[in-house]
Amino acid sequence: MPTSPRILVSSCLLGHPVRYHGRPAPCESDAAAILERWRAGGLIMPICPEVAGGLPTPRPPAEIARAAGGNAVWHQRARVMDDTGADVTGAFLDGAQHALALAQRHGIRIAVLKEGSPSCGSTSIYDGSFSGRKIAGEGVAAAWLRQHGIEVFSEHTLAEADERLRAIGELR
């Protein structure tokens, strides 16, 4: 088993209180067991793209405006706004770039990110209206990582990420 980081993981999923409200988002049962096995093997590189981009904890909740996803942000067709009306797009872009640089520096090919986040969501995000409505889409960091060949999974697909790590030879 490798002793260097092989998986980029959202810090909040590892119990770090970095989410917008200052709390973690720990995984439950089977998913937690997978994360613990990876952690014990020294395979995890934790990241919170929002914090890496310079946002404080706690911070106002943010969403990608206009029911758009992370790719729209990268192509300057959408902005990330917090619920006070502040444009935090720059911090989200910076954090995604930091996450990619970290993955590239360590040769990481798999990321497990927090679903629903405007940064980390891999299949769903909030619609930008701060109404609690989710839409299909991905966050800014998830989109950036995927654009650069990193496979992105969520806490709901940890078993698939584990299988993929085995398939590409990162786990034995």
Side-chain angles (χ1 to χ4, degrees):
M1 188 178 283
T3 58
S4 62
R6 308 312 310 152
I7 310 136
L8 198 66
V9 178
S10 290
S11 297
C12 62
L13 298 176
L14 301 169
H16 302 211
V18 294
R19 294 189 70 214
Y20 73 93
H21 48 47
R23 295 187 301 266
C27 295
E28 302 204 10
S29 62
D30 292 343
I34 292 170
L35 284 176
E36 184 50 40
R37 180 169 37 84
W38 291 350
R39 186 184 342 223
L43 303 174
I44 292 177
M45 174 60 63
I47 182 75
C48 175
E50 294 172 26
V51 172
L55 294 174
T57 303
R59 58 191 167 273
E63 295 184 7
I64 300 172
R66 300 184 355 215
N71 280 319
V73 174
W74 284 106
H75 290 93
Q76 300 177 1
R77 292 190 310 264
R79 308 295 292 168
V80 184
M81 307 298 291
D82 74 19
D83 72 349
T84 72
D87 185 332
V88 291
T89 304
F92 276 74
L93 294 171
D94 288 349
Q97 290 172 334
H98 181 78
L100 177 63
L102 193 61
Q104 289 175 332
R105 186 168 42 252
H106 292 281
I108 293 172
R109 297 162 47 188
I110 301 281
V112 175
L113 304 177
K114 176 68 183 127
E115 193 62 82
S117 160
S119 187
C120 295
S122 62
T123 62
S124 70
I125 56 173
Y126 290 93
D127 71 357
S129 68
F130 296 96
S131 64
R133 190 172 86 87
K134 285 189 177 181
I135 58 171
E138 60 189 351
V140 176
W144 193 240
L145 291 169
R146 281 186 172 136
Q147 285 179 36
H148 290 86
I150 309 292
E151 294 181 67
V152 179
F153 298 84
S154 78
E155 71 273 24
H156 306 298
T157 57
L158 271 169
E160 289 90 341
D162 197 50
E163 288 175 21
R164 184 67 182 131
L165 285 163
R166 289 179 199 287
I168 63 174
E170 298 290 349
L171 292 178
R172 306 269 182 252

